[in-house]
């Protein structure tokens, strides 16, 4: 009986040490590695009245449990404001904070809105963009190029209020306008 008790005690100790090692390994893994991923994700946020506020799509999303953030591959945001047509925001890659309050976009970032004819009425090009989807707001400190019918504008830094359809250019703003001649 003493031998059986000793064997059970040693087995329990061995099992306990093994479980502790697994838990420690799982904690180390969770800080640096994604714990799950999604393919072809679409997330729709609505307002209190049920109207769509924004839609986020990404072909690949990785979730990181250490800070509950997500890495986004080729994210595409649609942000709905006061007007009928949503703002479109796409990038090469992105990161979304826990709670989805902040989306950081990197690489070739494009912002545009379609006109009534279905073509882009104007577009903004930059390399980094910080988006607050719920506030319908975005900003960058990087160079931005705004292409509109009849002109092109360069700026260092930009703020966008998608809800009201406004862009604020921060510094070193240079514009070139081309007037089309009537025939």
């Amino acid at each position: 009986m003493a031998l059986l008790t000793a064997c059970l005690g040693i087995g329990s100790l061995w099992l306990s040490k093994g479980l502790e090692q697994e838990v420690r390994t799982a904690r180390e893994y969770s800080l640096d590695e994604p714990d799950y991923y999604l393919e072809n994700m679409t997330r729709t946020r609505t307002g209190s009245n049920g109207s769509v506020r924004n839609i986020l799509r990404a072909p690949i999303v990785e979730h990181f449990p250490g800070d509950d953030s997500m890495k986004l591959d080729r994210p595409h945001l649609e942000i709905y404001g006061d007007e009928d047509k949503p703002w479109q925001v796409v990038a090469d890659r992105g990161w979304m904070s826990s709670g989805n309050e902040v989306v950081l976009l990197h690489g070739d970032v494009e912002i545009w809105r379609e006109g009534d004819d279905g073509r882009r009425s104007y577009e903004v090009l930059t390399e980094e963009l910080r988006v607050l989807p719920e506030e319908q707001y975005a900003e960058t400190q990087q160079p931005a190029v705004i292409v509109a019918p009849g002109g092109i504008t360069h700026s260092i830094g930009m703020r966008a209020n998608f809800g009201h359809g406004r862009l604020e250019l921060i510094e070193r703003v240079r514009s070139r306008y081309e007037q089309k001649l009537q025939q």
Side-chain angles (χ1 to χ4, degrees):
M1 190 60 160
L3 183 60
L4 180 61
T5 303
C7 287
L8 285 174
I10 291 172
S12 294
L13 190 63
W14 176 75
L15 184 60
S16 172
K17 290 291 185 190
L19 289 174
E20 283 178 23
Q21 180 61 34
E22 283 184 36
V23 167
R24 195 172 324 126
T25 302
R27 269 192 234 127
E28 290 170 6
Y29 172 79
S30 68
L31 295 178
D32 297 333
E33 299 292 325
D35 60 344
Y36 67 86
Y37 71 97
L38 302 168
E39 292 181 355
N40 300 316
M41 180 203 73
T42 300
R43 186 207 70 189
T44 303
R45 301 286 298 250
T46 58
S48 58
N49 64 356
S51 64
V52 175
R53 293 194 42 87
N54 59 68
I55 299 172
L56 173 62
R57 294 180 178 88
I60 300 289
V61 176
E62 295 177 311
H63 177 264
F64 293 85
D67 60 358
D68 195 33
S69 68
M70 294 187 200
K71 183 174 128 185
L72 310 166
D73 182 47
R74 295 188 324 271
H76 181 164
L77 263 167
E78 289 181 18
I79 301 174
Y80 293 81
D82 294 339
E83 298 181 23
D84 294 337
K85 305 264 184 190
W87 289 86
Q88 307 290 329
V89 183
V90 297
D92 292 333
R93 61 194 179 283
W95 174 89
M96 187 164 47
S97 68
S98 173
N100 308 324
E101 293 98 7
V102 178
V103 178
L104 302 177
L105 301 174
H106 306 283
D108 290 331
V109 179
E110 296 179 56
I111 305 167
W112 75 91
R113 177 183 248 163
E114 293 178 356
D116 292 333
D117 60 0
R119 295 186 306 180
R120 294 182 183 187
S121 58
Y122 61 91
E123 61 187 327
V124 179
L125 309 171
T126 189
E127 293 181 0
E128 291 184 5
L129 189 69
R130 179 177 173 259
V131 182
L132 306 175
E134 287 305 304
E135 283 80 22
Q136 299 177 317
Y137 174 83
E139 65 184 7
T140 184
Q141 300 302 317
Q142 299 299 313
V145 177
I146 296 91
V147 181
I152 186 168
T153 302
H154 296 264
S155 171
I156 304 296
M158 178 215 56
R159 294 182 191 112
N161 182 326
F162 298 119
H164 298 293
R166 293 188 190 130
L167 293 178
E168 178 185 357
L169 307 177
I170 308 302
E171 60 183 80
R172 291 191 259 174
V173 179
R174 296 182 334 255
S175 294
R176 185 182 78 215
Y177 295 99
E178 297 175 6
Q179 183 178 10
K180 291 186 179 183
L181 298 176
Q182 302 272 342
Q183 292 186 9

